Amino acid sequence: MRNRLIMFPALVLCGFAVVGCGGGGESAQKTEQHAAPAKTPAATPAATPPAGGAMNSVVRGVVKFEGTAPKGEKLKMDADPVCKGLHTEPVYPQEVVVNPNSTLRWVMVYVKDGLGTRTFPAPTTPVVLDQKGCQYEPHVFGMMAGQGVKILNSDNTLHNIHPMPKVNSQFNVGMPKPGEIMKNFDKPEDPFHIKCDVHKWMSSYCGVFSHPYFSVTNEMGAFELTGLPAGTYKVVAWHEKYGVKEMDVTVGDGETKAVDFTFAETGA
């Protein structure tokens, strides 16, 4: 996957670092919890205004899929009767989700380079990562460094949140009953895995950014990066199985630029 996408912002499996699915770790204490692209549940922060230009440009597009989508095997939740009882229909992994229009869901598109020395304050509203139906929701999400993430357990069973970042600090927190905890990642980092040590099938991915220009493709494969200053940017599209694609994109003041990425299943 080496193109660039314009992000897919921001986060069903044991995603955001946690211990819920069995595994040691600290005990959780209850604290607080073309279609429009999927967005991280947080307000877009105001940016430091660039010299001589408004921040009113847009990069949008879709992530296309070529080839035959791999067939995912039905998830086996028998080990936890609570998890099994939460579903009346088969549940499948979200690693590769090909939409009916031959686009790819759960692709993170973001600006990798081109913003110069501009700085952007993190939103005060945290993103939300839920453990619901013994899956992580959302499967892929983005957030700004220092924004905070509210992790929920909506199931009446033990989950554990176990993020696996390489730049930020890992944690492993057990949540034995419904509730919520607050955590934070304070350094920008490429998408990393969040697992659950109790339920091995649970998986999520989180990208942490120093700016608000990221997006996650939705059920139509669409993404959108809004409020960009005019300029030339390196845009990345990231997928957990197919890798990274990059693209140089130049957008004028007030311009909306259409950009598409394509991933292919070469092993089909």
Side-chain angles (χ1 to χ4, degrees):
M1 299 177 122
R2 300 168 182 107
N3 250 5
R4 326 136 209 196
L5 239 162
I6 304 178
M7 312 235 340
F8 34 71
L11 344 97
V12 177
L13 299 163
C14 225
F16 236 96
V18 104
V19 175
C21 301
E26 40 187 301
S27 176
Q29 299 250 311
K30 183 172 179 179
T31 57
E32 321 210 316
Q33 199 205 11
H34 292 96
K39 295 219 179 221
T40 299
T44 300
T48 302
M55 301 172 70
N56 59 357
S57 301
V58 178
V59 175
R60 63 161 63 113
V62 297
V63 177
K64 300 176 182 178
F65 180 82
E66 293 182 347
T68 302
K71 270 188 145 182
E73 292 189 10
K74 182 174 68 172
L75 295 177
K76 297 178 180 179
M77 299 185 178
D78 306 64
D80 189 327
V82 173
C83 295
K84 183 178 180 181
L86 291 171
H87 301 276
T88 57
E89 299 292 332
V91 180
Y92 294 90
Q94 292 187 296
E95 180 186 35
V96 178
V97 177
V98 178
N99 299 315
N101 63 347
S102 297
T103 59
L104 198 56
R105 194 172 188 187
W106 302 123
V107 179
M108 175 83 73
V109 180
Y110 59 95
V111 170
K112 179 179 179 180
D113 192 28
L115 291 166
T117 59
R118 295 180 180 90
T119 59
F120 305 86
T124 56
T125 303
V127 299
V128 175
L129 177 66
D130 199 356
Q131 297 162 104
K132 186 176 181 180
C134 295
Q135 293 179 293
Y136 279 120
E137 294 184 4
H139 180 59
V140 176
F141 65 99
M143 60 183 289
M144 286 188 65
Q147 179 176 356
V149 56
K150 181 189 292 187
I151 303 171
L152 308 179
N153 180 3
S154 295
D155 297 328
N156 193 25
T157 191
L158 170 67
H159 286 304
N160 93 296
I161 304 87
H162 190 176
M164 306 292 290
K166 295 180 179 178
V167 176
N168 288 280
S169 298
Q170 294 188 19
F171 58 85
N172 188 356
V173 180
M175 299 183 72
K177 59 184 179 179
E180 61 186 55
I181 59 172
M182 285 293 301
K183 288 293 182 179
N184 194 15
F185 299 104
D186 56 8
K187 302 179 185 69
E189 184 167 356
D190 291 342
F192 55 83
H193 191 212
I194 298 171
K195 65 178 183 175
C196 174
D197 298 323
V198 175
H199 305 111
K200 301 299 183 181
W201 64 82
M202 290 180 65
S203 178
S204 181
Y205 289 86
C206 172
V208 185
F209 304 94
S210 61
H211 58 73
Y213 305 117
F214 52 89
S215 178
V216 176
T217 55
N218 61 12
E219 67 280 355
M220 296 296 291
F223 67 89
E224 186 174 75
L225 307 179
T226 63
L228 280 161
T232 297
Y233 301 96
K234 186 173 293 295
V235 178
V236 170
W238 173 95
H239 185 268
E240 62 182 281
K241 172 178 171 64
Y242 298 118
V244 173
K245 303 255 184 196
E246 296 185 353
M247 187 181 300
D248 291 328
V249 179
T250 299
V251 61
D253 189 19
E255 180 184 8
T256 295
K257 179 67 66 73
V259 175
D260 294 341
F261 291 87
T262 300
F263 289 96
E265 176 58 58
T266 57

